[in-house]
Amino acid sequence: MKVRKGLLAWMLVLLVVLAMRPEGAFAYSYGNPNEEVVAENYKLFAGKLNLDPPDFQAATDVYKQVQVEIDQHMGPEPSKSILGALAAKDKATALDAYRKTLVLNIARRLESIEKDFKNYEINKLLLAKALATYEALAPQVQEQAIDQKLRTSFETALSALGNPGLFGVGVKEADPALFKVQKDEILNSLKTQFQLESLDVGHFQPGEAAKETAPSQEKNQGGTSELRNWLPLIGIAVVLGAIVFFATRRRRRG
Amino acid sequence: MRVRLWLFIGLTFALRVPFLANGPSGWDDVDFALGLRSYDLLQMQPHFPGYPIYMLAAFGMQALVDNPFLALSLLSALAAALVVWPLMRVVERISGPQVASWTALLWAVAPLSLVAGAQPLSDSFGTLFATGLAWAALVASDPLRTARSRALALLASGVLLGLLLGVRVSYLPFALLPMVAAWQFRRLGGLWSDLCSAVAAAVLTSLLWAYVLMLNVGSWFGLWQLGLAFTGGHFSDWGGAYTAGSVWERLLQWLGRQWGAAGIGTPWTEQQGLASYAVLLLVALAGIGFVKKWRGFSSFVVVWLVPYFLWALFAQNVEKPRHLLPLLPLLLWALVVGLTSWPRASRVLVPALAAAMLVVGLGQVAGQGKQPAATAQLADHLAARADAAELLVFTYEEERVIRYLHPEVRTLRLRQFADLRTELLNRPTLPQVVLTDSVLNGLDHQGVRAFVEETARFRGSPWLDPVYHDITLYEVPPAKRAAFERFLKRESGGDGVSGVSDYVSGSS
């Protein structure tokens, strides 16, 4: 009886504390880990310039929030031409320069996937970010057929990265050749669509992307396709089995 | 007892099979179906925390049934049927075999159990493990059992807790059951070594599925980050009007609609049949009876009920009655205890309650498997339109179903006017703008309303889909397009650079 009283009192306290939370309750929704900051920034940027009349000051303020990141990864040229066009009140050039920067950003993501194809975890994130960047550019792709084809290529590229499955179910092997085909298709198509001469990002060093997304350089091939990944799993199962076994045995004897 | 056990298991299963869902209806079931196609945590297939033990069972079921929704629904039906087993054992120990049988009978026919037991979601399967955990905890702290069976039950409760968390992490409050049982176990002279084994079993079982999740994501750090990103969005990424309403309104809605109407079939606005009033009358009788007899209920039930009860009220989405499913057996048990306190009459009262519940429950679940959900109707409508290629559809969680059924329809999921405006201004020409009511009503700036007209409406069942069962579609008519475009380009309310960082980081 003592237990129940103590417990009830404790729970009443909890109830009161929770009820007094100002919001009353948690809101409820799902977050998306795959958002790309620069792409979101571009959408906002384009929104400011597409106002009537265009709000160049606001667009500049928006851009400044990602300038450091863009300078770091793409070099100073993109910022120079974007901010230059904004200063000259040239909306079309500013938008065009930002879009080209986004295409280069996609190229950078896809190239670094290919350079370090074994790094499953980082690559999935990079591909998701590349797709999120394309989503921002997609409204400019006038022909629906090209848009659909690009999306299919992204999807195929994702499946080409492989899937570690769950408990060994649904394992898909990675396919570097298939990925390369999709990558080339995406980049060639974007190059034509956004009239870029080259997708060479001279300032990009391989491995940089990995540093930015994960602090550890430790590579994990991921998935239960590799034998060494099974070992800890088997280890846990064996210890668990041993505990159960000895618990049953000891009693029977006693 | 054994014959009755199998009888109720069979009855529970048979009542659900004709109503199994076979198509998508909401965000979560599409998540699971996509997960069966390609299990991928980062792609939210399913969303964090990944439901690994549930999905493992689902993979097994899919080997038998091709349609992923049907496979998942069948798993729910099977789980609901098996709940009878631990449930009858627990009730029998505390309230005797007669009450146990009647509780099992009510479980077979209770509306919420019937609905959740035929839907492609993890709640039924989770409830099986939660009830199993309660049984193991009861045995582990039972002074009438031998020391050996107490020790084994405690060990089993450790394993079951690990598995339960691998099914639904949100069932964590049930962890208090084995904890209190362990304390009781020690008081009855149980060995420390047995207690340590049980704790180790719980940790190792959890580690087993957590490790597999880590493999799917790629690293422990990645899994951790994914969890942070998800919970961050889960609890705060919401710009609409849904958090409105006082605590008391919320409590009333929760008790009256979710526990009462959806749970056991009492009357509600959309539920006015004679049977539901019969349920109400019998529940009132049970309530009066329960006040006389509740002292027979042990503190064990308090430990089972209270933590998750509070959790479901404050940290779970109160719009979804399925979150109450793991506690429904306790309510049904209390109803039986209440009705049996009426001498002699209980022989009539309990079957009468079961019959009334069955009528209400069948009414709630009737359309499932036969008519597509409102979200699916919406998706089909959009894809079949002549101007489907020109549409840009602003949705909220309906998006998941539209993209699953008709990926060619262009959809965007957003909550804030600033986002909507940015998306539209980002396009060279204004597309044909379509919004669902959940977006329109949730927008933080209602200026859009002046430019849209209602064009279609899709209805499903509020009992099968508590949130998106009544979808109204709005669009900008041709006559208002030019004005809408001017509005977007000039209007500056609800926007501003100060809000930019909120948008970029994805939460506010």
Side-chain angles (χ1 to χ4, degrees), chain B residues 298-362:
Chain B
S298 68
S299 55
F300 170 76
V301 176
V302 178
V303 176
W304 186 354
L305 171 77
V306 177
Y308 186 82
F309 184 87
L310 294 177
W311 173 257
L313 175 58
F314 291 105
Q316 297 279 64
N317 188 348
V318 286
E319 289 186 318
K320 296 178 180 170
R322 61 186 175 83
H323 290 306
L324 308 180
L325 189 69
L327 294 182
L328 186 67
L330 290 174
L331 175 60
L332 301 175
W333 179 8
L335 289 175
V336 174
V337 168
L339 286 180
T340 46
S341 76
W342 298 92
R344 286 192 296 275
S346 65
R347 272 174 195 287
V348 186
L349 292 179
V350 182
L353 179 59
M357 272 188 185
L358 181 64
V359 171
V360 178
L362 289 179

Side-chain angles (χ1 to χ4, degrees), chain B residues 360-413:
Chain B
V360 178
L362 289 179
Q364 287 191 5
V365 83
Q368 187 153 273
K370 287 152 200 93
Q371 291 131 25
T375 44
Q377 295 172 32
L378 165 71
D380 292 341
H381 162 85
L382 292 170
R385 279 170 59 146
D387 59 350
E390 279 100 64
L391 297 180
L392 181 61
V393 188
F394 291 99
T395 66
Y396 199 55
E397 287 183 7
E398 311 91 319
E399 181 188 56
R400 196 75 163 167
V401 176
I402 300 174
R403 287 201 172 173
Y404 181 84
L405 289 173
H406 301 289
E408 73 278 10
V409 176
R410 285 186 299 172
T411 56
L412 280 170
R413 184 166 66 103

Side-chain angles (χ1 to χ4, degrees), chain A residues 29-30 43 50 121 124 251, chain B residues 40 194 219 396 422 425:
Chain A
S29 172
Y30 302 110
K43 287 190 211 163
N50 286 326
E121 179 190 2
K124 287 202 58 177
R251 299 289 153 171
Chain B
D40 189 336
D194 285 325
S219 72
Y396 199 55
T422 304
L425 291 184

Side-chain angles (χ1 to χ4, degrees), chain B residues 1-12 82 84 88:
Chain B
M1 196 67 196
R2 175 149 296 186
V3 178
R4 289 190 191 182
L5 179 67
W6 283 107
L7 189 78
F8 288 119
I9 288 178
L11 176 70
T12 307
L82 289 177
V84 169
M88 281 184 80

